Amino acid sequence: MSQRVHFPPQMHQQQGVHSIQGVDAVQPPRQQEKPVMVGWLITAALFTAALNLRPAITAVAPLLGIIRTDLGLNAAIASLLTSIPVLCMGCLSPLSTRLGRKYGLEQVIAWSLVLITAGTLLRLVTDSVFTLLATTVLIGLGVATMGPLLSGFIKKHFPTQIAAMIAVYTTALSLGAALGSGLSSPLQLTADSWQKALALWSLLAAAALPIWLIVIRRQAEAPTLSSVPLQGPNMPWKETQAWLLTLHFGLLAMVFYSLMAWLPAIMESLGHSHDYATYLLTIYAVVQIPSGFLLQLLLRRVPSRKAWLLCASLMQLLGLALILCSTPAWAAVSICGLGSGMLFSLASLLPVDTASTPEEAASWAAMTQSIGYLIGALGPLLIGWINDMTHQFEIAILGLSLITLVLMGLQISMAARHMKAAS
């Protein structure tokens, strides 16, 4: 089994990365060519693409009650509206890296935005369970193809600014999730149609396309930036570290997507009004927006990834416990959301740090996300099934708390493994 990746405790700040206690990056890729695209353009491209990874998913949860009533969905089928895109991300992540190598990262990301635009727009004519699920699959295809390639895009264009660009990436993710969860209900009330409220999110993806077309055109005009399709390593199936990162990502994704799908329903079952429950989902998403930049500041002071992984997991666990204890809901959701946001930022940074080239970064991210999202997709499905069986959500919250405890155990085990390897 390959032991190529080592995890010394030092931090190399000049590379823009930190350790997991840490997990240090290998040496940055050799400087092959002079960059020809200005930083603001590729930063804007990264931000606008990442902004579209979640709204089409999170916009469903505030409207789930209306959709279930209109289409006659039970909880298990309704959970598919969140789980299908996550399953697509799990199944198609390996394919996305192959497409990226064959056609180029930028071209495939642009086509992914086209898929997201089309799938979201088609929700305007949704009138059955089948058509709603079909549009969800189409959106899932776009999200699944684009997600892992953005990691390679960061490694390719920002090899010495990885931590900062991961912060931009996760901020855009969280902002997109917050917009989807916070504006869907007002849009539904204004349009008097949940179909129109969901379809309007196609405008966000459509707005990103011109930026990516400019990036592709500039790249074609500047062959020194390597417009040739990427050639690189296959998925790191034999890397022990890759499997640990994958399991870690999968467990945190289970909790995150379960809450994104069911938090409004959970809070309603605890006695809150529908409007306030939807507001709480927005809080959960909004507090995650600054998590990437906050984490970057914290890592500069205390570079141990283990410390912040455990801290974030404790915050998530505390938030879940406070939800059950009927603590002021906004406080419980805020604590849980900040913990979830920090966990996702760290999980997104680790594969990019570990890789040494853009194509390798895409491969590590693809493996982490492929199996990880398959695990994560089980979360909403299980909560929907439990709700159908028990007609309550308390057991589901206890289950998410247990998953968080397992996540913390895995983090401790990973850190112990790295210390043993270093000794």
Side-chain angles (χ1 to χ4, degrees):
M1 184 170 295
S2 174
Q3 299 296 328
R4 180 182 55 78
V5 183
H6 300 286
F7 305 91
Q10 292 83 11
M11 176 186 69
H12 297 281
Q13 292 195 15
Q14 68 273 20
Q15 296 179 21
V17 295
H18 311 274
S19 72
I20 186 172
Q21 162 174 15
V23 178
D24 236 29
V26 289
Q27 293 298 317
R30 57 190 178 277
Q31 299 298 323
Q32 297 176 340
E33 61 269 324
K34 183 185 295 183
V36 296
M37 285 193 286
V38 291
W40 68 264
L41 175 62
I42 48 181
T43 301
L46 172 65
F47 186 87
T48 55
L51 194 64
N52 282 280
L53 288 174
R54 286 182 179 169
I57 301 173
T58 62
V60 171
L63 307 179
L64 197 56
I66 299 172
I67 296 172
R68 290 181 64 181
T69 300
D70 194 18
L71 299 181
L73 304 180
N74 61 26
I77 297 298
S79 67
L80 290 175
L81 299 178
T82 298
S83 289
I84 283 177
V86 183
L87 285 169
C88 288
M89 288 186 274
C91 295
L92 299 179
S93 290
L95 177 62
S96 71
T97 58
R98 294 186 180 184
L99 292 174
R101 290 174 195 153
K102 185 174 182 179
Y103 299 107
L105 296 177
E106 293 78 8
Q107 287 83 353
V108 178
I109 291 172
W111 279 108
S112 299
L113 286 167
V114 172
L115 285 176
I116 294 172
T117 303
T120 309
L121 184 61
L122 285 173
R123 285 179 162 175
L124 186 63
V125 295
T126 297
D127 58 1
S128 67
V129 176
F130 174 78
T131 53
L132 180 58
L133 294 179
T135 62
T136 304
V137 170
L138 194 59
I139 293 167
L141 291 174
V143 171
T145 305
M146 181 166 61
L149 297 185
L150 290 177
S151 298
F153 183 80
I154 292 172
K155 193 76 175 181
K156 176 179 180 179
H157 292 283
F158 301 97
T160 61
Q161 297 174 288
I162 292 174
M165 289 303 107
I166 288 292
V168 171
Y169 166 73
T170 55
T171 297
L173 277 177
S174 301
L175 178 59
L179 291 173
S181 61
L183 297 181
S184 289
S185 287
L187 289 173
Q188 189 273 331
L189 291 173
T190 301
D192 194 26
S193 166
W194 61 263
Q195 290 94 337
K196 291 179 182 178
L198 294 180
L200 280 171
W201 294 106
S202 62
L203 298 176
L204 193 64
L209 281 171
I211 298 175
W212 281 89
L213 293 177
I214 294 173
V215 169
I216 293 171
R217 188 188 67 189
R218 292 248 185 133
Q219 187 180 47
E221 294 171 352
T224 56
L225 191 62
S226 181
S227 58
V228 183
L230 291 173
Q231 301 295 326
N234 295 318
M235 302 278 280
W237 300 117
K238 296 183 179 181
E239 294 280 359
T240 302
Q241 179 63 17
W243 282 105
L244 292 174
L245 295 177
T246 297
L247 179 58
H248 182 266
F249 188 91
L251 292 177
L252 69 90
M254 282 189 75
V255 177
F256 174 80
Y257 284 105
S258 294
L259 291 174
M260 275 295 178
W262 291 108
L263 186 60
I266 290 171
M267 303 313 293
E268 284 188 65
S269 73
L270 296 175
H272 300 287
S273 68
H274 172 74
D275 289 342
Y276 188 61
T278 301
Y279 170 70
L280 291 173
L281 177 63
T282 303
I283 290 178
Y284 177 74
V286 166
V287 296
Q288 296 183 39
I289 294 174
S291 61
F293 289 104
L294 174 61
L295 182 65
Q296 188 180 8
L297 294 175
L298 293 173
L299 284 170
R300 288 177 181 174
R301 291 183 174 271
V302 181
S304 170
R305 296 284 180 84
K306 172 196 169 185
W308 297 118
L309 283 168
L310 289 173
C311 179
S313 297
L314 277 172
M315 293 176 67
Q316 180 172 277
L317 181 62
L318 177 61
L320 291 169
L322 291 177
I323 289 174
L324 280 179
C325 294
S326 300
T327 300
W330 65 268
V333 170
S334 297
I335 293 171
C336 188
L338 187 56
S340 297
M342 289 177 63
L343 278 173
F344 191 86
S345 296
L346 282 164
S348 300
L349 183 56
L350 294 179
V352 184
D353 272 359
T354 305
S356 57
T357 64
E359 54 271 29
E360 190 176 67
S363 295
W364 276 69
M367 177 177 169
T368 301
Q369 294 179 25
S370 62
I371 307 300
Y373 278 128
L374 288 176
I375 297 172
L378 296 175
L381 289 171
L382 288 174
I383 288 187
W385 177 77
I386 290 172
N387 181 254
D388 281 337
M389 295 296 103
T390 66
H391 302 289
Q392 61 176 336
F393 286 104
E394 286 82 358
I395 295 175
I397 293 294
L398 290 173
L400 296 179
S401 300
L402 178 61
I403 292 172
T404 305
L405 285 172
V406 174
L407 187 65
M408 295 174 67
L410 177 63
Q411 291 161 358
I412 294 172
S413 176
M414 290 170 64
R417 173 185 171 85
H418 303 329
M419 290 178 64
K420 183 177 180 180
S423 62

